[in-house]
Amino acid sequence: MRTFETVLAQIEQRIAADGLTVGDRLPGERQLAEQLRVSRSSVREALRVLETLGVVSSQVGRGPDAGAVLISRPDGTLADLLRLNLGLTTMSAREVLDTRLMIERWSAARVTWAPPAMTEALAAMDLAASPEEFVTHDIAFHVALTDAAGNRLLSAVLRALRDALVSNAVEAVRRLGHTDDLQADHRRIHTAVEAGDGEEAVEAVTAHLARAYPGLSPIQNVF
Amino acid sequence: MRTFETVLAQIEQRIAADGLTVGDRLPGERQLAEQLRVSRSSVREALRVLETLGVVSSQVGRGPDAGAVLISRPDGTLADLLRLNLGLTTMSAREVLDTRLMIERWSAARVTWAPPAMTEALAAMDLAASPEEFVTHDIAFHVALTDAAGNRLLSAVLRALRDALVSNAVEAVRRLGHTDDLQADHRRIHTAVEAGDGEEAVEAVTAHLARAYPGLSPIQNVF
DNA sequence: GACCAAATATGGTCAGACCATACACCTTTC
DNA sequence: GAAAGGTGTATGGTCTGACCATATTTGGTC
């Protein structure tokens, strides 16, 4: 097993052991390297993987104080994501694909603030002059929401699908004839996110979807 | 933009420009570093990201000849995957992604025949001489199953993910040591599909998954 | 032609160095 | 006393150069 892979495992363990959550920080690269008795290069390679997985986010120049890296999605499935993306043990794409998983993650993320992009998109939709324009910002709105959930890998797949479905969304807006109801939904979602109320948010999203796509089965949909 | 990110972009471009495909090799780390005028560290960090994304796979000790890294999934979505995991935007695919929806659609489609590709893949798996070969046909089998459900868009995405996880699947087969049980599952699925028995099929698929990936959470998976 | 051993370039890892950045702290100013 | 500004400092990002174990190639041997 390569060194950076063991580093990965140890970081994972540390996150679990210390009960780190969103916003918490890992030790600095140098300190981490010293603790794990490996070179900084290996630590960095591990961090790069974690960053790709959407677990951690680095930022330069954090003064003389502590911290170095910031956990962006520390939930328990970290191990699965690692295994999957590294081919260490086994994983299934279905698990990743399951949107329910995403809901759980989103709720577990305990997001207590609405991403600025989300707020901006909300305002932009009010000013939209055409269904196409509306949908553009609508996508941005949901993108921000998904980002708040934290899993970039999953988001990527979802995003690709979304892009492929732009025309559907436009048609949905046209069918409705107006966007008042949709905006009301959006505001409800936004409020829920701001309040950090995961359950309410999921419910709001579900209601929103039911309105936008009436033919949809009452399955638990998400974004 | 960090150096390794530009390296990422340039490698991506190179793959597209040179028309590299599965099995082809990138230049060695040192050579790549020299060509791109960056340090080997940056190249390595970029490669680590690509590895996490399932695009390349490194292996040590390749003698004095050429090659260094090997492309493992060069399909068109590479660019999207790169962009996404680098932190641009993200999105959700809403209802389309929900696997349960797929099951329902599949049932609702009242499929009363097994797709020829499915039958062929089943036979091919019997003749497979290696785990790799087995998995190849295994994928074809499940893709055919997904296609039978009727949602091409969903099929495409699932397929892409599936391809990205080939190595995991191979390992799963290796771990089992034999393919008899898997084939028994496949036959059960095939029979159910032929009979148009959606419920039985879903159940068979679930059982199949549980066998192939024992650690999997009891989430309702689809293949 | 088959087999074995040395030569060689590779990926993996390490140590040490430099830079630009952003935070914490301290001084200055009002 | 509070606000504003300057400075010190540890950080992430990058680079250089080195060593190791490994796998492929090469070339010699039988």
Side-chain angles (χ1 to χ4, degrees), chain A residues 87-145:
Chain A
L88 291 186
T89 354
T90 330
M91 238 317 277
S92 80
R94 311 78 157 182
E95 192 167 13
V96 180
L97 260 189
D98 198 298
T99 43
R100 266 165 308 177
L101 201 59
M102 187 154 172
I103 304 185
E104 289 173 11
R105 282 188 179 144
W106 189 83
S107 302
R110 292 186 220 86
V111 180
T112 57
W113 44 269
M118 200 168 167
T119 310
E120 289 163 17
L122 189 58
M125 278 187 280
D126 277 332
L127 306 176
S130 68
E132 284 80 4
E133 194 179 340
F134 182 87
V135 167
T136 300
H137 299 300
D138 181 77
I139 290 181
F141 180 87
H142 290 285
V143 163
L145 177 60

Side-chain angles (χ1 to χ4, degrees), chain B residues 40-56:
Chain B
R40 204 180 143 208
S41 325
S42 297
V43 170
R44 280 184 63 81
E45 293 195 22
L47 288 178
R48 214 84 298 138
V49 172
L50 288 177
E51 195 176 305
T52 305
L53 292 177
V55 177
V56 303

Side-chain angles (χ1 to χ4, degrees), chain A residues 7-219:
Chain A
V7 171
L8 227 31
Q10 293 190 266
I11 291 181
E12 173 189 354
Q13 187 184 351
R14 185 193 186 102
I15 291 178
D18 296 4
L20 298 184
T21 176
V22 173
D24 292 343
R25 290 181 174 283
L26 256 36
E29 295 181 358
R30 292 169 178 82
Q31 192 175 341
L32 220 41
E34 189 184 0
Q35 289 177 7
L36 303 179
R37 310 295 181 86
V38 298
S39 75
R40 205 180 142 207
S41 322
S42 298
V43 170
R44 280 185 63 82
E45 293 194 22
L47 288 178
R48 215 82 299 136
V49 172
L50 288 176
E51 194 176 307
T52 306
L53 293 177
V55 175
V56 129
S57 154
S58 300
Q59 39 187 310
V60 293
R62 296 196 55 79
D65 75 329
V69 211
L70 151 159
I71 309 259
S72 68
R73 189 190 47 65
D75 55 28
T77 349
L78 206 178
D80 293 332
L81 267 182
L82 285 184
R83 276 182 250 302
L84 140 75
N85 276 280
L86 288 180
L88 291 186
T89 354
T90 330
M91 238 317 277
S92 80
R94 311 78 157 182
E95 192 167 13
V96 180
L97 260 189
D98 198 298
T99 43
R100 266 165 308 177
L101 201 59
M102 187 154 172
I103 304 185
E104 289 173 11
R105 282 188 179 144
W106 189 83
S107 302
R110 292 186 220 86
V111 180
T112 57
W113 44 269
M118 200 168 167
T119 310
E120 289 163 17
L122 189 58
M125 278 187 280
D126 277 332
L127 306 176
S130 68
E132 284 80 4
E133 194 179 340
F134 182 87
V135 167
T136 300
H137 299 300
D138 181 77
I139 290 181
F141 180 87
H142 290 285
V143 163
L145 177 60
T146 309
D147 277 342
N151 186 338
R152 287 197 192 154
L153 188 60
L154 179 53
S155 298
V157 176
L158 298 182
R159 193 233 157 85
L161 272 186
R162 240 286 173 173
D163 287 346
L165 293 177
V166 167
S167 57
N168 286 353
V170 171
E171 195 179 326
V173 172
R174 281 232 169 73
R175 185 157 9 89
L176 280 175
H178 64 96
T179 59
D180 298 347
D181 293 343
L182 294 179
Q183 277 294 69
D185 289 340
H186 286 152
R187 275 184 239 286
R188 183 180 164 202
I189 296 172
H190 187 262
T191 303
V193 169
E194 263 188 333
D197 188 345
E199 264 182 55
E200 160 69 4
V202 169
E203 204 172 308
V205 169
T206 305
H208 175 51
L209 277 185
R211 188 196 306 280
Y213 304 94
L216 216 59
S217 55
I219 292 184

